[in-house]
Amino acid sequence: IPDDELLKNYYMNDYWTLRSKGVKPVFKKRFLKNNRAIAQAKFFKENINKNLKISKILEIGAAHASSSLLIRESLKDKSVQLYSCESGKQWSEYYKDANIMQIAEYFPFETDIKFDFIHTSHWLEHIVDVNKTMAKINSMLTNKGGLFIEVPNTEFYYWDYPQTDTPHIHFFSTKSLKKLGENNGFECIKINTYGIPFRDLLNGKTPTQELNPSGCYIRALFEKKN
């Protein structure tokens, strides 16, 4: 496991350079056709506490922030403010066009803002200290605030196939992710596995988002305890 400074340097300077080749993303409401984001927003809508008043949403490791954009649209409240924490410098103009405030480039960061909902998708597996991270997220949420997490499902059969999961550091089952949340002041509202199995994903089959006991994604919604 790399130390914090080495990892921060990698994400601030190398991660997106290797992936994007300098191409700047353009905001054209592509989030409306992003199947994973649509499924995540649906999961949010079906399971979030209906009594929770949401005015501030933070997405960590946001990239195109498609899920947060869809959630904001589903809330039908133009006053809802989206915030992003993202190290990729090429997203700056995109966020301005999408009306997203880039509050930080790297997590953790300090702010006096309390968020009603925090969204993370395929980010937590990249973190060195998951307990410290979950505790920090908890401190940034309002009372009864919601937390969405999606990570790869790495239980049992995952290890039977060659993986291209660098730079993942942590690996989760539904049981371990649920326990991680509960150990850091959260109640697990809903957790399940979705999508096609990893063997199908690695064989080039089209990804899906349906509920599946052997699906390649774990999707979870937590609520901050009093």
Side-chain angles (χ1 to χ4, degrees), residues 82 96 100 110:
L82 297 188
K96 290 177 184 176
I100 297 173
E110 297 303 319

Side-chain angles (χ1 to χ4, degrees), residues 8 14 28 37 52 101 108 118 123 145 150 163 166 192 197 202 204 206 208-209:
K8 182 176 181 179
D14 299 327
K28 290 185 177 179
L52 178 64
M101 183 179 294
I118 293 178
W123 171 76
E150 183 172 304
Q163 296 298 334
T166 302
N192 231 317
L202 291 169
T206 303
T208 63
Q209 303 297 326

Side-chain angles (χ1 to χ4, degrees), residues 104-119:
E105 292 183 332
Y106 199 77
F107 191 91
F109 61 91
E110 297 303 319
T111 178
D112 293 330
I113 298 172
K114 292 289 186 179
F115 303 97
D116 308 296
F117 181 70
I118 293 178
H119 187 93

Side-chain angles (χ1 to χ4, degrees), residues 5-44:
E5 283 305 309
L6 182 64
L7 199 65
K8 182 176 181 179
N9 182 65
Y10 170 74
Y11 283 112
M12 294 294 293
N13 298 298
D14 299 327
Y15 180 78
W16 280 111
T17 302
L18 294 169
R19 285 172 171 254
S20 67
K21 298 180 180 178
V23 178
K24 289 189 176 182
V26 178
F27 178 68
K28 290 185 177 179
K29 289 203 169 185
R30 292 192 179 102
F31 66 91
L32 295 171
K33 297 181 180 179
N34 185 312
N35 289 332
R36 181 187 287 177
I38 290 168
Q40 291 181 357
K42 182 173 181 287
F43 185 89
F44 162 88

